[in-house]
Amino acid sequence: MTQTLVYKILGEHLTSGQLVAGNEIGLRIDQTLTQDATGTTAFLLLEAMDVPRVKTELSVSYIDHNMAQFGPENHNDHLYLQSIAARVGAYLSRPGNGICHQVHLERFGRPGRTLLGSDSHTPTGGGIGMIAIGAGGLDVAVAMGGGPFYTTCPRVIGVELLGKLGRWVAAKDVILRLLSILTTRGNVGCMVEYFGPGVGSLSVPARSTCTNMGAELGVTASVFPSDAVTKAFLTAQGRGDQYVHLSADEGAEYGPIVKRLHAVRDSVALDNIKDFCTDVDIAPASDPDAADDGFLDVSFGHVVIDLREVVPLAAGSPSPDNVAAVGELSGQKVHQVLIGSCTNSSYQDLMLCAAVLKGRSVHPDVELGIAPGSRQVLRMLASNGALADMVASGARILESSCGPCIGQGFSPAEGTVSLRTINRNFAGRSGTKGDMVYLVSPETAVAAALSGEIIDPRDLSEFMDIKHPRIKSPGEFSIDDGMIIAPLDESQAQEVEIVRGSTIVKPPAGEKLPDPLNGRVVIKVGDKITTDHIMPAGSLLKFRSNVPEYSRYVFNCFNEEGSESFADRATAVRDSGAKGVILAGDSYGQGSSREHAALCPMYLGIGVVIAKAIERIHHANLVNFAILPLTFVDGADYDRISEGDELVVHDVAGAIESGETVKVSNVNQGFEFVCRVSLAPRQREILTAGGLLNFTRSGR
Ligand code: MIC
Ligand code: SF4
């Protein structure tokens, strides 16, 4: 039987289950990655599980997110992470060494391996032919302890690439095109596999730009074949011996992929599916109520993108799938440009920008920030003079870290447009309320930095007489792992003292849910609530290792001055002996992997989330922290429930054990409704045990 590349790699790592889409499967994890904002909790949980030494082939702890260091919290975390890595046998990438995904690609990623990371953009590693998956820190801790990772065997969305990109058009435009076709919704339980003759024209960093933003599609992972380009990249990184050739079998079949879309609200995506997919079939939704509401069931074979036809694209706030051609936006005044992040901060990306900036000045109305993705990139730019060209142009060189991508500095002024090469433009993520962020390629970003407005970079030649610079992949990268601390041997490791500042607080474990569960709706939120809404980052990121403190800011963006905060209301419900309930619309928990979006609500006594749909990583995090994730059988019930309503969830134990649905009474309004219980068998056991920590401690 012919196999996709996804299934080949999964098959080699299968510990349980069968490779049938929709089934729960267990996977052996070869490598793990953590970063400091999620890593402190992951390592604290690893300690709580009594794991003395990591059991993976390789585990790397990166320090790249919390680098602002206002107050002692961040540095306390750094010292803790360095000492715990030494104790348990993980690599430690020191602050200044770069963004986890960029460094991992450069120094550790290996074709054919599995990587689990406590960061939603871990799938960046798919650019080098790995199955790289983002997950909550607790899942990563279990994998560090040698446990398998459980996930849904995916449906594979094939993306066939033809031809070659034109000048000034980039991989970022390819993934934005894909986002305009597949959108950020309805891709849960899928993985993307790129194939076709166009693949060979993309460098590994370009491929990784595409796989990085697979996170925005909501897919579990994205993967490229491992070919001559991969081999050249690994060789240039001094790791040629780690190359293996990997591709799908000739004639491997993709799809059919079925999505439910709304005839009017999703009309752009519908048109794009018709234009870019094979074997499209559109019919009224199979569920008559949904059909009456205007929903359609859309099925297609695979996506085909002809790289020759891709044009520069931009995604405007507040969603990465809000895509338009740069040409249609041109003329808009720009006041800020940011080039960096795990999406676009490779050597090639920044060399292109440096070449365009060389001998020119940043527009006087624009602040340009450039954050090289890694120390390797920065050193290479410094030694070949490109850094000097950037500085001379007026660019502000920012640290090799996440920084502005997550609202840590460089927030834009009110009412101004900011062009960023990053991957997320959720409202307020930049640190400015009402921000207007466009996600763009380095080409489009640098064009705006010089012209002071949005301009199609293909017009640079005509308007500014700038020729397209051809940037070659280097035959040899500058290799210096001096900022990576390798694990100690076991006997030395035991001598290491773990450094715990006062701001590092043991995270709470979950507890079994009561049956029946008396609950109260603490908040009712709408569609597309991201984990940034639930647990803000920016200046509050520093509280990650202190759950009681961080919990004060749950749903902070909805707190109003002078009124009780979410935390106050949830605490009052908890103290009354009931459980808090969160009520949400579609795509609840989009975005990051941050498990604090479950952990902190759990600390505040939340026991249930009822939503129209819940995104994959967040759904898993809820289960891990003993919060029951439910979805409405009939979405219309959402409208009938209000904040403050008293709900009773009946037969919780039965629902968790084996139920497909559960009955919920709305006591205030006197009606009953039914919710779906979508849990894999192991998730049922985890909830029964009162969360993953208790489950793991009980030896399972
Ligand atoms: C993000 O881009 O939102 C983050 C910060 O990298 C998160 C992880 C976190 O919240 O610490 C992610 O993407 O998972
Ligand atoms: Fe860091 Fe931004 Fe990438 Fe998250 S998306 S890992 S904050 S650079």
Side-chain angles (χ1 to χ4, degrees):
M1 209 182 78
T2 57
Q3 267 193 321
T4 60
L5 176 55
V6 164
Y7 273 45
K8 282 189 185 182
I9 302 178
L10 293 180
E12 296 227 324
H13 291 84
L14 206 61
T15 58
S16 62
Q18 283 187 332
L19 283 185
V20 175
N23 275 13
E24 183 183 54
I25 50 171
L27 294 175
R28 181 170 43 80
I29 295 300
D30 301 320
Q31 304 188 347
T32 67
L33 156 173
T34 48
Q35 42 86 343
D36 51 325
T38 54
T40 41
T41 308
F43 279 97
L44 286 165
L45 292 165
L46 188 75
E47 287 192 76
M49 288 188 292
D50 282 333
V51 175
R53 196 147 178 98
V54 298
K55 299 198 178 87
T56 48
E57 198 173 282
L58 175 100
S59 286
V60 192
S61 168
Y62 290 92
I63 300 179
D64 57 355
H65 277 62
N66 263 324
M67 315 264 287
Q69 300 183 217
F70 290 107
E73 291 87 351
N74 298 164
H75 200 192
N76 280 351
D77 285 352
H78 300 177
L79 296 181
Y80 167 72
L81 286 169
Q82 186 160 337
S83 61
I84 188 75
R87 173 69 83 87
V88 300
Y91 285 83
L92 189 282
S93 173
R94 301 191 62 204
N97 198 44
I99 304 174
C100 53
H101 309 303
Q102 174 67 25
V103 178
H104 206 85
L105 197 71
E106 292 167 357
R107 306 304 307 139
F108 297 109
R110 287 181 75 155
R113 296 294 208 265
T114 50
L115 166 69
L116 192 72
S118 61
D119 190 283
S120 63
H121 290 103
T122 304
T124 309
I128 207 167
M130 321 181 77
I131 294 283
I133 302 176
L138 186 47
D139 279 323
V140 178
V142 168
M144 284 197 269
F149 174 65
Y150 294 87
T151 189
T152 308
C153 183
R155 291 177 295 150
V156 182
I157 305 178
V159 179
E160 184 177 10
L161 301 179
L162 308 172
K164 201 171 168 231
L165 290 171
R167 290 194 181 149
W168 299 107
V169 187
K172 181 64 155 281
D173 302 311
V174 178
I175 183 64
L176 290 177
R177 171 51 71 222
L178 192 58
L179 273 153
S180 77
I181 302 165
L182 297 176
T183 77
T184 56
R185 287 171 300 119
N187 306 312
V188 176
C190 296
M191 290 193 190
V192 167
E193 178 168 323
Y194 292 87
F195 68 101
V199 163
S201 67
L202 297 177
S203 68
V204 166
R207 295 174 184 187
S208 296
T209 297
C210 297
T211 55
N212 173 280
M213 284 191 77
E216 278 53 62
L217 293 168
V219 297
T220 310
S222 302
V223 68
F224 271 84
S226 171
D227 56 10
V229 175
T230 323
K231 186 175 183 185
F233 177 82
L234 282 168
T235 307
Q237 289 286 355
R239 304 196 285 123
D241 56 325
Q242 297 178 359
Y243 170 72
V244 282
H245 173 80
L246 293 171
S247 63
D249 289 330
E250 186 85 31
E253 278 178 28
Y254 299 93
I257 300 295
V258 183
K259 279 172 78 93
R260 182 156 292 179
L261 294 175
H262 194 271
V264 180
R265 292 198 290 272
D266 297 316
S267 60
V268 177
L270 269 169
D271 286 344
N272 285 335
I273 287 178
K274 285 185 215 154
D275 286 350
F276 291 97
C277 298
T278 62
D279 301 324
V280 179
D281 186 54
I282 302 177
S286 58
D287 163 5
D289 287 342
D292 283 351
D293 288 345
F295 283 97
L296 304 166
D297 285 340
V298 180
S299 112
F300 64 88
H302 70 269
V303 182
V304 184
I305 298 180
D306 188 336
L307 299 177
R308 288 164 291 208
E309 285 167 17
V310 178
V311 297
L313 297 171
S317 297
S319 184
D321 59 2
N322 187 18
V323 175
V326 171
E328 284 167 26
L329 305 166
S330 61
Q332 275 191 56
K333 189 93 191 117
V334 173
H335 281 96
Q336 192 195 56
V337 174
L338 171 70
I339 298 169
S341 91
C342 57
T343 317
N344 277 120
S345 58
S346 66
Y347 172 78
Q348 282 99 318
D349 283 340
L350 296 202
M351 278 305 290
L352 177 126
C353 296
V356 175
L357 292 172
K358 189 180 166 94
R360 302 185 174 90
S361 294
V362 171
H363 191 279
D365 294 343
V366 177
E367 287 189 15
L368 168 64
I370 301 180
S374 69
R375 179 166 166 266
Q376 179 182 80
V377 174
L378 182 55
R379 289 183 75 220
M380 288 175 73
L381 298 176
S383 66
N384 69 13
L387 188 63
D389 295 334
M390 290 173 165
V391 173
S393 75
R396 292 168 55 182
I397 306 303
L398 309 176
E399 201 172 5
S400 285
S401 70
C402 297
C405 174
I406 195 167
Q408 304 233 12
F410 209 68
S411 302
E414 295 157 316
T416 61
V417 167
S418 176
L419 255 58
R420 301 181 162 214
T421 65
I422 64 176
N423 47 40
R424 289 189 173 138
N425 53 1
F426 303 150
R429 183 172 155 104
S430 68
T432 299
K433 261 198 171 162
D435 49 6
M436 292 185 276
V437 172
Y438 284 102
L439 310 177
V440 296
S441 67
E443 284 79 348
T444 302
V446 77
L450 290 178
S451 64
E453 54 188 52
I454 300 184
I455 145 171
D456 186 325
R458 293 172 302 178
D459 293 341
L460 280 177
S461 318
E462 194 182 328
F463 294 126
M464 300 182 82
D465 198 23
I466 301 177
K467 287 208 179 62
H468 179 254
R470 213 172 265 284
I471 308 296
K472 280 215 197 121
S473 299
E476 212 177 313
F477 287 95
S478 150
I479 297 161
D480 169 7
D481 290 333
M483 294 283 276
I484 297 176
I485 303 177
L488 297 172
D489 69 39
E490 224 165 320
S491 60
Q492 286 173 305
Q494 275 161 14
E495 305 297 313
V496 174
E497 198 187 319
I498 300 174
V499 185
R500 287 178 217 278
S502 68
T503 54
I504 295 177
V505 178
K506 204 167 140 193
E511 52 185 49
K512 292 182 187 173
L513 291 169
D515 186 13
L517 184 147
N518 296 312
R520 190 179 286 276
V521 179
V522 185
I523 196 166
K524 180 174 178 175
V525 290
D527 291 343
K528 286 193 169 191
I529 292 297
T530 71
T531 50
D532 279 88
H533 291 107
I534 308 169
M535 277 327 307
S539 58
L540 299 172
L541 196 63
K542 66 179 189 177
F543 296 128
R544 282 289 173 87
S545 39
N546 186 346
V547 170
E549 182 63 29
Y550 199 28
S551 297
R552 294 173 49 207
Y553 303 100
V554 178
F555 285 119
N556 201 35
C557 60
F558 298 121
N559 289 336
E560 277 166 29
E561 239 179 275
S563 324
E564 269 188 325
S565 66
F566 173 88
D568 293 336
R569 299 198 306 277
T571 311
V573 172
R574 182 186 67 189
D575 294 348
S576 75
K579 282 284 180 189
V581 177
I582 293 170
L583 199 71
D586 204 11
S587 286
Y588 181 68
Q590 266 190 23
S592 84
S593 68
R594 67 190 66 152
E595 63 195 338
H596 292 78
L599 177 53
C600 293
M602 176 197 82
Y603 175 77
L604 296 174
I606 299 297
V608 188
V609 168
I610 311 179
K612 290 186 184 166
I614 305 175
E615 293 295 311
R616 175 189 69 90
I617 303 181
H618 187 58
H619 183 278
N621 284 335
L622 290 172
V623 171
N624 287 351
F625 291 101
I627 297 178
L628 181 61
L630 299 176
T631 50
F632 290 103
V633 167
D634 180 356
D637 287 328
Y638 167 88
D639 300 319
R640 302 164 73 200
I641 310 170
S642 308
E643 216 161 275
D645 279 2
E646 231 176 274
L647 305 180
V648 180
V649 186
H650 302 280
D651 189 17
V652 174
I656 291 177
E657 225 171 85
S658 56
E660 296 289 308
T661 57
V662 68
K663 214 163 56 184
V664 185
S665 309
N666 187 326
V667 179
N668 296 76
Q669 308 205 37
F671 69 91
E672 280 190 350
F673 59 100
V674 182
C675 288
R676 198 167 285 121
V677 188
S678 305
L679 295 169
R682 183 169 170 274
Q683 293 187 315
R684 295 185 185 274
E685 290 182 46
I686 292 173
L687 277 172
T688 306
L692 183 55
L693 193 53
N694 295 328
F695 178 75
T696 310
R697 275 180 183 151
S698 68
R700 274 168 299 176

